[in-house]
């Protein structure tokens, strides 16, 4: 037998090059998925826009609140100062002969009495509670019954709402929306939010933002409901 062959010497660079060549020969073409991702994203955005448009057309609810020209959504919700425990009713009977005095009845018979101003707010947020202080100030500028004012505490219980009423000495009706159902149907995502409706319940103004905490600014809008 001949002399032993010299031992094989490892060449890392050569091994890496050969491995790369084998991978290139055996690999499948790479598909660029980026155009498809962009297409899927565009379709998703389109679906969101269509859903928002349908909600706007069918319910009058946009991103926030009920838009002007659409009717208020009827509901009955318990007053924070009452002994009534429960959730709001979004499909009330609205019987003017038997109204529950422990609740606020936002119904056709109530809306037909006079223009209505409803403020929606979340407890614990100072900007929101200051808006109800403004409502209280503005309400005092109108003779009783000329304009109806009310406030809805979204996602709050009876005791929390009653505590706010006592703390701020509010006399306007304040109801609580314990499970957030009223806030949901009204599209309450931010506060303060106010809906100002003509007699009959047709919304004239949807007001969002802290600028309406100024009594003079809000009073001007409320007077417009009376044609002043």
């Amino acid at each position: 037998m001949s002399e032993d062959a010299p031992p094989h010497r490892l060449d890392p660079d050569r091994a890496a090059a050969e491995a790369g060549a084998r991978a290139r020969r055996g690999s499948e073409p790479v598909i660029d998925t980026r155009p498809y991702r962009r297409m899927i994203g565009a379709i998703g955005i389109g679906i969101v826009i269509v859903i928002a448009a349908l909600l706007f057309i069918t319910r009058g609810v946009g991103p926030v609140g009920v838009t002007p020209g659409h009717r208020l959504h009827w509901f009955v919700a318990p007053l924070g100062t009452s002994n009534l425990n429960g959730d709001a009713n979004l499909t009330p009977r609205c019987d003017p002969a038997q109204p529950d005095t422990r609740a606020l009845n936002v119904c056709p018979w109530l809306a037909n009495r006079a223009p209505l101003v409803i403020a929606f707010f979340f407890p614990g947020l100072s900007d929101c509670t200051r808006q109800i202080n403004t409502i209280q100030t503005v309400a005092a500028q109108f003779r009783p019954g000329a304009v109806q004012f009310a406030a809805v505490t979204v996602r709050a219980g009876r005791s929390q709402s009653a505590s706010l009423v006592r703390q701020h000495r509010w006399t306007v009706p304040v109801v609580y929306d314990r499970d957030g159902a009223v806030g949901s149907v009204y599209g309450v995502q931010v506060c303060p939010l106010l809906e100002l409706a003509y007699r009959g319940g047709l919304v004239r103004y949807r007001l969002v933002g802290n600028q309406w905490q100024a009594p003079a600014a809000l009073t001007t809008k409320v007077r417009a409901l009376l044609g002043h």
Side-chain angles (χ1 to χ4, degrees):
M1 188 173 187
S2 60
E3 295 182 357
D4 293 340
H8 178 68
R9 298 179 62 184
L10 295 177
D11 187 342
D13 294 334
R14 181 180 176 183
E18 291 177 352
R22 287 195 299 270
R24 287 193 294 272
R25 287 194 300 270
S27 62
E28 296 294 331
V30 177
I31 298 175
D32 185 359
T33 61
R34 286 176 296 180
Y36 299 97
R37 291 199 299 267
R38 288 193 291 267
M39 183 183 298
I40 292 172
I43 292 173
I45 293 173
I47 291 173
V48 171
I49 293 173
V50 170
I51 292 173
L54 288 174
L55 286 173
F56 179 83
I57 292 170
T58 59
R59 294 172 54 189
V61 178
V64 176
V66 177
T67 54
H70 292 83
R71 182 182 57 77
L72 293 170
H73 300 297
W74 308 135
F75 68 90
V76 174
L79 290 164
T81 53
S82 73
N83 61 356
L84 184 62
N85 276 306
D87 297 323
N89 183 0
L90 301 182
T91 56
R93 291 185 305 159
C94 291
D95 184 359
Q98 295 180 326
D100 192 336
T101 58
R102 299 173 299 169
L104 174 68
N105 299 264
V106 180
C107 293
W109 61 267
L110 177 76
N112 287 332
R113 286 180 177 177
L116 182 60
V117 177
I118 307 178
F120 299 88
F121 72 106
F122 296 101
L125 299 178
S126 58
D127 285 345
C128 295
T129 53
R130 277 198 295 269
Q131 186 65 66
I132 313 308
N133 292 335
T134 301
I135 290 286
Q136 181 74 44
T137 300
V138 172
Q141 301 180 31
F142 296 87
R143 63 176 177 80
V147 180
Q148 303 174 98
F149 295 85
V152 179
T153 314
V154 180
R155 293 200 175 278
R158 182 172 65 90
S159 61
Q160 188 176 18
S161 298
S163 177
L164 287 169
V165 171
R166 290 191 299 268
Q167 178 184 350
H168 295 276
R169 298 181 180 180
W170 293 330
T171 58
V172 297
V174 177
V175 301
Y176 64 92
D177 177 25
R178 186 170 62 182
D179 62 355
V182 177
S184 178
V185 77
Y186 272 85
V188 181
Q189 301 176 26
V190 296
C191 68
L193 167 67
L194 298 96
E195 299 283 2
L196 280 64
Y198 287 118
R199 181 178 177 180
L202 193 68
V203 174
R204 169 71 185 274
Y205 298 113
R206 176 193 56 185
L207 307 179
V208 182
N210 295 338
Q211 66 269 32
W212 305 110
Q213 292 178 5
L218 182 58
T219 298
T220 299
K221 295 294 187 182
V222 175
R223 290 192 184 282
L225 298 177
L226 298 171
H228 295 173

